[in-house]
Amino acid sequence: MPDPLECSSSNLPENAATEGDNIGRDGLTKAMADLKLDSSIRPKDTVVMHPYRLRIDYSGMQGLTTLTGTPKLPAQTCQAEYDPIPSEQGGGTGIGGYPGFMFGRTYHGGSTPTFPARITFVECITAPDAVKRTLLLGLDVSQGKHLVGGKWLAGDSFGICAPNRDEMVTAVLGRILGSEYPSLARRPMRLRPTSEGVQLPGHLTQLVGATTTLFELYKWVVDLTSSGGINKQVVRYLAEKCCDKPDRDRLLYICSRQGLKAWTSLRAQRPRLLDILGEFLSCAPDPVFLAELLTPLSPRAYSIAATPVADGPERWTFAFNVVESQFEVGDSFSRNEDEEGRIGETVDPQEADRHQGLCTTWLDALTDRVQAGSRRDDLDAVIPVYLRSRLNDFTLPLLREQRRPVIMVGPGTGVTPFIGFLSQRERERDAVGGADEYPETILFFGCRHRDRDFLFKTELEAWASAGVLTTLNVSFSRDETGQGGGEGAHTKYVQDEIKRQGARIS
């Protein structure tokens, strides 16, 4: 265990023991204004991201002279070599304007490296009054045919590498770099180990030697939006980089054994890196070292609603929900806060950000936010994707090899992989010698309303009529009981319908 660290409570402000009042609001606004990150260096037509006021009880610090159980200060393994002249563009621009390192990368759980896929169409498949918009996207994966050709089957999944929002990257790097943001954020650089034989973290290893920028590193490689990246090791490092002793003491307290209550309270607020940096204004971390410690930005996984048998080996489709939230545009350094310390007049930016999926929001913007009843086939967007390995060895058996009954349970967008299954069965059905030889195929599907978010309704009902889907059970949780279709007319929830038919399917 590391040696106890000295901590002085005598240097804390008089109000340090008062929950949430560790920094005066006027002081917070002034300190952030001193960063000189004015509108001239912000991306145009973007939403400004604000730090969220954290509420931490420091009353347990009173009387403390030592802290125990703090993590060991990590050793730096990576450093950056910057080009001498700043660049407006910076980094290596690859296919579709992406950084060069985004294609050919490998991720845990992937069966192929990343490759570019072109979005061929987008369609909104829910009604205007549905709670969520569900989009169906088509992908042309022909640029990765040498990687995925002959490898993917109905029901497989793939990963999409989505970025942090530019506004979040600007806010975080603006806070870290301050007045140096214009000269450093997009200056070309190369990462290398601090010394020979040093092992870099996995998320940085594949960037060694590649030309990139801090902006690209924070946009594509590290997670800035989830609270999972704020662990005690990160807090310990941030404490070390505070030039103000009260800030350092508070951060050390939070990651110590004595500060367990404060740590638990902090975690419950799901803080992002921006929120921590906005709370401890004297903290000035090294952006490259900090990137080592932050959690890697994870790709998002989606099921393929297609089959190479029916759709061809170079066409994928997938569906996802878009949760609507509204951001307030404003000046990040002259803010109005309500009595609870929340920023903005109507919407707390952190809460809104929490309710926006990183990847789905990005895809929605790339495809021009199509609304109900709309479809676009004139898109010219490329995204980084890769085929994921199967978590188990299950694949839909070919009818000519096995004719066992198939039971599928897919509420909401969970029905997506079964669209591929049923497309495959439709193609195979005529080859098995007639309906008498066709095994029972049962689907349990559920959503809120029959007329608002019954996904793939036309296809499912057509398969049911043709006998490809022998039983279609649907449950609608917000409709009156009895308004469902098929065997599911009697229940509101899929689990209840499965229980009701337990004797039949067991």
Side-chain angles (χ1 to χ4, degrees):
M1 179 181 297
D3 295 333
L5 294 162
E6 293 299 322
C7 172
S8 172
S9 59
S10 61
N11 291 331
L12 298 180
E14 293 181 359
N15 61 348
T18 304
E19 181 180 351
D21 286 334
N22 54 310
I23 299 177
R25 292 173 188 168
D26 293 340
L28 178 64
T29 301
K30 181 181 184 299
M32 294 193 72
D34 289 341
L35 295 176
K36 299 181 176 61
L37 182 60
D38 59 23
S39 59
S40 64
I41 60 173
R42 297 178 193 153
K44 294 181 179 179
D45 301 323
T46 59
V47 177
V48 173
M49 303 293 288
H50 305 281
Y52 181 79
R53 284 296 304 274
L54 300 173
R55 304 210 163 261
I56 306 170
D57 184 0
Y58 298 108
S59 59
M61 292 184 68
Q62 291 189 339
L64 281 179
T65 57
T66 59
L67 295 174
T68 60
T70 57
K72 182 180 179 181
L73 188 65
Q76 185 169 1
T77 64
C78 185
Q79 58 188 347
E81 293 180 341
Y82 293 90
D83 284 359
I85 302 175
S87 168
E88 287 294 324
Q89 183 66 31
T93 301
I95 299 171
Y98 291 95
F101 61 76
M102 284 307 299
F103 298 112
R105 295 191 72 188
T106 57
Y107 288 92
H108 177 72
S111 67
T112 71
T114 54
F115 61 90
R118 184 174 63 85
I119 300 176
T120 57
F121 75 87
V122 59
E123 181 180 2
C124 182
I125 57 175
T126 45
D129 53 352
V131 174
K132 302 174 183 178
R133 278 188 305 127
T134 301
L135 302 184
L136 181 68
L137 261 69
L139 296 178
D140 176 352
V141 297
S142 58
Q143 291 193 60
K145 61 183 178 182
H146 61 292
L147 299 172
V148 300
K151 293 185 64 173
W152 72 278
L153 299 171
D156 281 348
S157 62
F158 69 103
I160 298 178
C161 304
N164 293 303
R165 296 176 61 187
D166 282 2
E167 299 91 336
M168 176 61 76
V169 180
T170 299
V172 169
L173 286 179
R175 166 62 182 81
I176 293 174
L177 299 175
S179 60
E180 293 186 317
Y181 177 93
S183 62
L184 284 182
R186 298 181 185 272
R187 178 178 291 189
M189 68 174 189
R190 280 155 296 283
L191 300 179
R192 63 177 179 84
T194 52
S195 60
E196 187 175 352
V198 170
Q199 183 66 42
L200 271 61
H203 62 292
L204 298 184
T205 300
Q206 298 182 61
L207 274 67
V208 173
T211 300
T212 185
T213 66
L214 285 174
F215 198 93
E216 289 180 347
L217 181 64
Y218 273 71
K219 179 174 181 176
W220 292 101
V221 181
V222 297
D223 190 346
L224 300 181
T225 58
S226 71
S227 61
I230 307 301
N231 54 45
K232 287 191 175 183
Q233 189 178 53
V234 171
V235 174
R236 175 67 182 88
Y237 169 68
L238 293 178
E240 195 68 19
K241 305 307 291 185
C242 288
C243 59
D244 179 63
K245 185 169 176 54
D247 275 355
R248 179 179 184 272
D249 286 350
R250 293 189 192 101
L251 284 168
L252 289 174
Y253 172 70
I254 290 170
C255 66
S256 72
R257 182 176 292 112
Q258 290 76 15
L260 179 60
K261 182 178 178 181
W263 170 252
T264 303
S265 172
L266 177 67
R267 293 287 294 167
Q269 296 174 68
R270 297 176 293 166
R272 309 161 300 179
L273 175 62
L274 179 62
D275 306 322
I276 300 292
L277 294 174
E279 191 76 11
F280 301 94
L281 292 169
S282 73
C283 183
D286 178 318
V288 175
F289 192 3
L290 182 58
E292 284 188 46
L293 305 178
L294 293 173
T295 301
L297 184 57
S298 299
R300 272 44 175 180
Y302 297 91
S303 296
I304 302 173
T307 171
V309 175
D311 303 285
E314 300 176 1
R315 294 289 184 270
W316 291 353
T317 55
F318 67 105
F320 61 90
N321 293 324
V322 180
V323 180
E324 307 292 352
S325 292
Q326 183 179 14
F327 283 87
E328 179 185 355
V329 179
D331 183 349
S332 61
F333 306 118
S334 59
R335 308 170 300 168
N336 294 322
E337 298 179 5
D338 63 18
E339 294 179 355
E340 299 299 322
R342 298 178 185 272
I343 304 165
E345 298 177 357
T346 57
V347 179
D348 162 33
Q350 186 183 36
E351 291 300 326
D353 189 50
R354 286 174 181 163
H355 290 89
Q356 285 199 331
L358 179 77
C359 187
T360 56
T361 303
W362 176 59
L363 291 173
D364 190 29
L366 278 180
T367 54
D368 294 333
R369 298 183 175 88
V370 297
Q371 300 300 311
S374 298
R375 175 183 170 113
R376 289 197 56 182
D377 297 276
D378 57 345
L379 299 168
D380 187 27
V382 172
I383 60 175
V385 303
Y386 64 93
L387 183 65
R388 299 178 74 233
S389 301
R390 300 182 188 99
L391 297 179
N392 51 52
D393 293 331
F394 176 79
T395 58
L396 183 67
L398 297 176
L399 282 178
R400 66 174 180 267
E401 298 174 355
Q402 189 179 103
R403 299 183 185 180
R404 293 181 180 178
V406 177
I407 300 173
M408 299 168 284
V409 181
T413 55
V415 74
T416 303
F418 305 134
I419 300 302
F421 282 3
L422 292 168
S423 295
Q424 178 175 315
R425 280 294 163 92
E426 182 180 29
R427 287 299 182 96
E428 295 177 324
R429 185 168 179 263
D430 293 338
V432 301
D436 292 340
E437 300 293 330
Y438 187 72
E440 192 168 15
T441 305
I442 303 170
L443 173 66
F444 292 90
F445 172 79
C447 61
R448 289 180 174 84
H449 302 280
R450 165 185 282 279
D451 58 353
R452 299 182 192 178
D453 49 11
F454 187 169
L455 307 182
F456 302 102
K457 177 178 182 292
T458 301
E459 294 89 339
L460 292 175
E461 291 183 342
W463 282 323
S465 298
V468 175
L469 184 58
T470 55
T471 307
L472 173 60
N473 302 290
V474 290
S475 301
F476 304 110
S477 61
R478 300 298 185 269
D479 288 342
E480 292 296 326
T481 302
Q483 291 184 0
E487 295 295 326
H490 306 284
T491 56
K492 284 181 172 290
Y493 300 101
V494 167
Q495 61 267 33
D496 295 330
E497 183 59 25
I498 294 173
K499 184 183 297 184
R500 195 180 75 86
Q501 297 193 43
R504 177 191 174 196
I505 63 177
S506 61

